[in-house]
């Protein structure tokens, strides 16, 4: 499935993003991912999903233009999920911080389950790579899968049969790994089950 061009992408509209989203918070990640990283030249954020596709959070595609020691230019992109800036949303997060829960799933539980498959000789991937950034804000930061050709399907049209079967196979793998994980490590922490 080829990636969409900018003209075809309903998510390319530039948007305002929070003041705390600055190049500095991505620096440690960029130093690990970009060989001979020198500095970040610019940061752009745009809507990460089409209007109406994500109601509970704000999803941003963050692109960082990086310069290397040899003056080469590299662009790295990430998907940044952040909270809505409202009193009602803050009250919800006081009761149950969905960002901490989701980030914990990506950083702890998903790697455990992928490792269980690797340990028996199978390579199974359950999601995008997740990253931590130095901030006290509510967020989930993931690799942008768009450069690999992934895109969201129009929710009103749904999946075709090939993609539906692929999703069901992934659900079955998830279910199996989750059951084995509980059997071998015990119940999940309450923050993952509540």
């Amino acid at each position: 499935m080829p990636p969409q061009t900018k003209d075809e992408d309903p998510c390319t509209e530039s948007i305002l993003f929070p003041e705390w989203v600055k190049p500095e918070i991505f620096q440690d990640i960029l130093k690990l991912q970009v060989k001979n990283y020198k500095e970040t030249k610019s940061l752009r954020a745009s809507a990460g999903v089409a209007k109406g596709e994500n109601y509970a959070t704000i999803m941003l595609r963050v692109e960082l233009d990086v310069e290397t020691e040899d003056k080469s230019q590299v662009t790295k992109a990430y998907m940044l999920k952040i909270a809505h800036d409202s009193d009602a949303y803050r009250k919800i997060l006081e009761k149950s911080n969905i960002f901490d829960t989701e980030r914990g799933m990506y950083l702890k539980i998903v790697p455990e389950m992928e490792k269980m498959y690797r340990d028996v000789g199978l390579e199974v991937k359950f999601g995008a790579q997740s990253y931590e950034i130095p901030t006290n804000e509510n967020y989930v930061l993931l690799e942008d899968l768009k450069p690999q050709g992934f895109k969201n399907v129009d929710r009103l049209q749904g999946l075709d049969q090939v993609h539906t079967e692929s999703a069901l196979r992934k659900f079955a793998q998830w279910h199996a790994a989750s059951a084995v994980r509980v059997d071998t490590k015990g119940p999940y922490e309450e923050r993952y089950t509540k």
Side-chain angles (χ1 to χ4, degrees):
M1 176 179 325
Q4 295 174 316
T5 65
K6 188 171 178 110
D7 294 335
E8 300 169 318
D9 189 346
C11 305
T12 55
E13 168 190 351
S14 289
I15 60 171
L16 295 174
F17 53 97
E19 220 174 89
W20 62 268
V21 179
K22 297 179 180 181
E24 297 80 39
I25 66 172
F26 297 93
Q27 189 168 337
D28 291 341
I29 298 167
L30 292 168
K31 284 179 179 178
L32 290 172
Q33 292 189 334
V34 178
K35 187 177 179 179
N36 299 318
Y37 170 87
K38 181 180 176 187
E39 66 180 326
T40 302
K41 298 301 242 179
S42 66
L43 178 151
R44 291 177 305 286
S46 59
V49 294
K51 280 188 174 184
E53 292 296 319
N54 196 23
Y55 303 106
T57 62
I58 298 168
M59 182 67 86
L60 302 174
R61 173 173 284 113
V62 178
E63 296 177 288
L64 297 115
D65 296 322
V66 172
E67 185 177 300
T68 61
E69 294 292 342
D70 68 359
K71 305 271 188 238
S72 296
Q73 301 292 315
V74 177
T75 299
K76 295 297 288 182
Y78 304 93
M79 299 302 290
L80 179 63
K81 184 185 284 194
I82 58 174
H84 289 281
D85 187 20
S86 72
D87 289 335
Y89 205 88
R90 281 186 281 281
K91 285 180 183 175
I92 291 170
L93 293 176
E94 286 174 13
K95 291 180 183 176
S96 176
N97 192 319
I98 58 174
F99 290 93
D100 286 345
T101 302
E102 185 173 354
R103 200 167 51 248
M105 285 296 296
Y106 276 110
L107 293 170
K108 179 181 177 187
I109 305 299
V110 169
E112 283 179 358
M113 294 196 315
E114 290 173 347
K115 183 181 181 313
M116 290 187 321
Y117 275 101
R118 278 194 308 279
D119 289 348
V120 295
L122 295 171
E123 191 61 38
V124 173
K125 192 89 170 118
F126 285 118
Q129 176 70 41
S130 183
Y131 307 99
E132 290 189 274
I133 50 179
T135 181
N136 292 323
E137 300 294 335
N138 292 303
Y139 77 93
V140 174
L141 182 65
L142 302 170
E143 74 178 306
D144 182 4
L145 296 175
K146 188 176 179 180
Q148 297 175 39
F150 289 92
K151 66 179 182 176
N152 286 345
V153 173
D154 182 324
R155 66 183 166 78
L156 299 176
Q157 292 183 7
L159 298 173
D160 60 23
Q161 183 167 344
V162 170
H163 288 94
T164 300
E165 289 174 5
S166 178
L168 290 172
R169 189 168 28 262
K170 192 62 69 176
F171 283 139
Q173 290 170 330
W174 178 273
H175 177 72
S178 182
V180 170
R181 187 197 174 279
V182 168
D183 189 51
T184 58
K185 294 186 174 233
Y188 290 98
E189 295 172 42
E190 185 176 326
R191 72 177 176 146
Y192 300 121
T193 60
K194 189 174 177 182

